Amino acid sequence: MTSLINISLITYFTLVSVIGTLGNGVILLAYGNRWNSSKSTSVIFILILACVDLWTCLIVVPAIAIMEYRDFDVPTAICRFYSFSKNLIIISSFIMSFIALDRFLNIAVPHYRLLNPRRVK
């Protein structure tokens, strides 16, 4: 039974990693050339969020898959890296909160720019 659970977890983590990497890669290709000329805070936030999520999909999710597959019997370096990388999820949540705050401020007080591109960068 545990081998079936391990196979399903590895399949799930592989799908998340591949789909997330492709999606964030497309976003970085589409918005990447707008970083220096961006007059919009939304573009900056989207690019930063795509970078953080790309790192998560490329590195953190496979590390979690390895740890789950080996029942958390991994070398100390991988365990420490995993513990450090969990902070990326928190960072990603903060970025999404700032995107929501930026959208709210643009709707509620459109003439007062609290978050401008220079401050966001």
Side-chain angles (χ1 to χ4, degrees):
M1 186 66 163
T2 53
S3 64
L4 181 61
I5 292 172
N6 280 344
I7 291 170
S8 61
L9 279 174
I10 295 299
T11 304
Y12 171 74
F13 286 130
T14 302
L15 282 173
V16 167
S17 181
V18 169
I19 292 171
T21 301
L22 290 175
N24 287 304
V26 167
I27 289 171
L28 286 175
L29 286 174
Y31 284 93
N33 60 349
R34 299 181 187 183
W35 174 260
N36 290 331
S37 63
S38 178
K39 302 285 189 274
S40 170
T41 56
S42 298
V43 171
I44 297 167
F45 280 132
I46 288 171
L47 281 170
I48 294 171
L49 182 63
C51 288
V52 170
D53 286 346
L54 182 67
W55 176 263
T56 302
C57 290
L58 278 176
I59 306 298
V60 177
V61 173
I64 294 171
I66 291 169
M67 291 181 72
E68 287 284 341
Y69 180 74
R70 296 186 65 188
D71 291 327
F72 292 89
D73 184 27
V74 293
T76 304
I78 293 176
C79 188
R80 287 182 181 168
F81 175 77
Y82 168 73
S83 296
F84 170 74
S85 296
K86 287 190 298 186
N87 294 327
L88 290 176
I89 297 168
I90 297 168
I91 292 170
S92 181
S93 299
F94 278 130
I95 295 169
M96 289 175 47
S97 298
F98 277 113
I99 291 171
L101 176 68
D102 180 51
R103 295 290 88 209
F104 171 75
L105 290 175
N106 283 343
I107 292 170
V109 284
H111 301 294
Y112 181 69
R113 302 290 295 185
L114 179 65
L115 296 175
N116 60 28
R118 193 183 95 240
R119 287 182 186 162
V120 170
K121 286 182 183 178

